[in-house]
Amino acid sequence: ISAVLADPEIRTLRTFHDVQNRPEFLKRSLEATVGKKDDILEIAMDSPYPDDASEIVNTVVEKYVEFHAKKKRGTASEVLKVLQAEKVIRSEELTACLKDMMDFKDEHEGLSLQTTSGTNMTLDRLDRTSIALTTAHLTTLEHKSFYESAKKMTSDPDGFRQFIEAQQVNRYGSLNTEK
């Protein structure tokens, strides 16, 4: 409202000629509603001078749009400043990490043995060991599950027989019914 009243063209309108408290008068005279389905603002004003009312409403809309545009620019510039500062920090961290890595490689040249294909022998061996460990872990879990299932079935002879048949189907692909 103060931005609207600060406009020189608005201050000289006949609507405000005998008004003592212009901000209060403008607050009482303006009516703003938000559309229920479309969120569109509808602004209206009662005034004995229709041309004045039209000019005041248009100025209110103009100042509202300017206010929100400045607010968005301010928010965007603040976000940009934060992101730029964060980028500087991360770039410094990256540089420090790369320096540390190069220092480590210089100190531990034995770890960077290369094969004829250009791969690192130590890393290849570590990769194969990791794969073997994962495979052993999965096999252990599978056998543990089998053991727990078999242990539960020992108390129920019919359930144990069904368990054995299911294992034969899983292992051999068909049920061996010969006894």
Side-chain angles (χ1 to χ4, degrees), residues 10-169:
I10 298 298
R11 283 186 286 187
T12 60
L13 294 176
R14 291 180 294 173
T15 300
F16 295 113
H17 186 343
D18 292 328
V19 176
Q20 297 295 325
N21 189 348
R22 290 180 179 188
E24 188 61 34
F25 172 79
L26 195 54
K27 283 181 188 177
R28 282 186 282 124
S29 299
L30 286 172
E31 182 181 325
T33 56
V34 178
K36 292 180 182 178
K37 294 182 182 179
D38 54 15
D39 291 336
I40 292 178
L41 289 176
E42 182 180 317
I43 300 173
M45 180 176 178
D46 289 329
S47 172
Y49 308 103
D51 292 340
D52 286 4
S54 173
E55 191 168 342
I56 292 169
V57 167
N58 287 337
T59 304
V60 167
V61 170
E62 178 184 311
K63 298 299 179 182
Y64 179 82
V65 169
E66 286 175 12
F67 171 77
H68 281 285
K70 285 179 186 176
K71 188 175 178 180
K72 284 183 183 179
R73 277 194 302 271
T75 302
S77 66
E78 289 174 17
V79 168
L80 180 61
K81 286 178 187 175
V82 168
L83 290 175
Q84 286 173 334
E86 196 65 29
K87 182 182 180 283
V88 168
I89 292 169
R90 298 298 170 232
S91 293
E92 290 170 356
E93 287 177 0
L94 176 62
T95 302
C97 285
L98 289 174
K99 183 187 176 310
D100 290 346
M101 184 175 73
M102 294 307 293
D103 290 346
F104 182 82
K105 282 185 176 183
D106 289 344
E107 290 174 18
H108 303 89
E109 291 179 14
L111 291 178
S112 60
L113 297 174
Q114 301 284 319
T115 63
T116 55
S117 65
T119 60
N120 185 308
M121 291 184 336
T122 305
L123 293 178
D124 286 346
R125 185 174 180 197
L126 180 62
D127 189 41
R128 287 191 305 273
T129 303
S130 175
I131 290 170
L133 179 63
T134 302
T135 302
H137 183 68
L138 290 173
T139 302
T140 301
L141 288 175
E142 183 181 323
H143 286 116
K144 189 175 184 179
S145 173
F146 177 80
Y147 172 75
E148 292 297 326
S149 296
K151 189 173 158 183
K152 286 181 184 176
M153 295 294 176
T154 57
S155 62
D156 179 17
D158 288 333
F160 186 69
R161 184 179 48 75
Q162 289 175 354
F163 175 76
I164 296 297
E165 289 174 359
Q167 293 305 314
Q168 286 178 346
V169 169

